[in-house]
């Protein structure tokens, strides 16, 4: 790694001040990395729908970034652990910086593929669904004939559903039209074959409005505990 790369990596950090600012903005806001200015910005989550900004964390998730709480390290970041305690914005900012470092290496793929999800995101928004973070690219293997871009959505009742979009091969882009669009019913748990999530494959040319309606109706008819 060159000196310039090391310096850039060190600069790609979230400060406690940024974390505190997101807390002050409250629900419905997110912190994202803006490459144009080389710093985090606090914006509405939909600003990350097209991939021009790299999402780090939404307000709704910022107090539990440590995962399973460690009473010695994370208690003061989680209101569920210590009700009324002030959040430790140094700890929260450190978690955010780790997330930024983990996702930044895939920045180009996220920016290129997020526009593919936009029609579905807008259609699902009409049913009260929200995009949960930004998607990720999965590369083909012996079980997967094409690269895919996977985007997670959350229902109004906080049920999680994943949309898996097949990406066209670079040499024969029309081949992607024959690959299905896959809906993974993540919220149902690993109840499918070989202990996998149950899925539904539909034609790739199904309109986003019809995809969104299918998801909304399925979740309404098959409710279960939130993930």
């Amino acid at each position: 790694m060159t000196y310039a790369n090391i310096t850039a990596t060190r600069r790609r950090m979230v400060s406690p001040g940024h974390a505190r600012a997101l807390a002050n903005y409250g629900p419905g806001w997110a912190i994202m990395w803006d490459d144009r200015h080389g710093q985090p910005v606090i914006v509405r989550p939909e600003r990350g729908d097209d991939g021009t900004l790299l999402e780090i964390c939404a307000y709704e998730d910022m107090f539990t970034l440590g995962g399973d709480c460690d009473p010695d390290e994370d208690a003061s970041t989680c209101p569920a652990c210590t009700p009324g305690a002030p959040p430790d914005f140094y700890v929260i900012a450190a978690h955010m910086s780790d997330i930024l470092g983990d996702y930044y290496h895939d920045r180009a793929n996220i920016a290129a593929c997020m526009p593919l999800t936009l029609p579905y995101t807008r259609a699902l928004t009409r049913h009260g669904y929200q995009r949960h973070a930004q998607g990720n690219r999965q590369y083909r293997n012996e079980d997967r004939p094409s690269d895919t871009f996977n985007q997670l959505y959350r229902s109004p009742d906080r049920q999680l559903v994943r949309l898996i979009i097949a990406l066209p091969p670079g040499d024969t882009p029309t081949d992607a039209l024959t690959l299905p669009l896959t809906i993974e019913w993540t919220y149902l748990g690993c109840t499918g074959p070989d202990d996998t999530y149950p899925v539904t494959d539909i034609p790739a040319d199904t309109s986003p409005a019809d995809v969104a309606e299918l998801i909304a109706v399925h979740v309404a008819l098959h409710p279960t505990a939130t993930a």
Side-chain angles (χ1 to χ4, degrees):
M1 181 179 289
T2 66
Y3 174 78
N5 288 336
I6 293 173
T7 301
T9 299
R10 287 175 177 169
R11 288 176 179 170
R12 287 197 292 269
M13 298 180 66
V14 179
S15 72
H18 286 117
R20 186 178 292 107
L22 178 59
N24 290 336
Y25 271 80
W29 295 84
I31 186 167
M32 302 190 186
W33 182 262
D34 187 342
D35 260 336
R36 296 167 300 178
H37 303 293
Q39 64 180 357
V41 293
I42 297 171
V43 294
R44 291 288 187 182
E46 55 266 27
R47 285 287 304 277
D49 286 350
D50 65 356
T52 55
L53 298 176
L54 181 64
E55 184 169 321
I56 301 169
C57 177
Y59 169 86
E60 287 77 4
D61 299 318
M62 70 178 295
F63 297 108
T64 55
L65 289 179
D68 295 331
C69 293
D70 181 334
D72 295 327
E73 296 182 6
D74 294 337
S76 58
T77 74
C78 178
C81 294
T82 51
D88 188 333
F89 290 111
Y90 285 88
V91 172
I92 293 173
H95 285 314
M96 289 181 174
S97 294
D98 286 343
I99 292 170
L100 176 58
D102 290 341
Y103 280 93
Y104 194 87
H105 75 279
D106 206 32
R107 179 79 184 90
N109 279 328
I110 292 173
C113 296
M114 281 300 292
L116 299 175
T117 71
L118 255 177
Y120 304 104
T121 299
R122 289 170 176 168
L124 282 162
T125 296
R126 299 186 185 101
H127 293 272
Y129 282 67
Q130 293 182 328
R131 176 178 57 75
H132 180 64
Q134 287 176 318
N136 61 90
R137 184 169 186 156
Q138 297 291 316
Y139 293 93
R140 74 189 76 181
N141 56 36
E142 61 274 11
D143 299 320
R144 189 185 303 119
S146 171
D147 291 359
T148 62
F149 193 71
N150 305 342
Q151 179 62 67
L152 202 60
Y153 294 94
R154 180 187 285 140
S155 78
D157 294 326
R158 301 184 68 79
Q159 312 283 38
L160 294 176
V161 175
R162 193 184 311 274
L163 196 62
I164 302 175
I165 303 171
L167 300 178
D171 50 349
T172 54
T174 55
D175 288 351
L177 298 177
T178 66
L179 298 173
L181 184 70
T182 299
I183 303 169
E184 179 185 272
W185 308 106
T186 312
Y187 76 98
L188 292 175
C190 293
T191 58
D194 301 321
D195 200 31
T196 58
Y197 292 109
V199 300
T200 298
D201 289 336
I202 59 177
D205 59 357
T206 304
S207 74
D210 287 344
V211 173
E213 184 173 2
L214 172 61
I215 290 173
V217 169
H218 182 282
V219 172
L221 293 176
H222 301 84
T224 187
T226 56

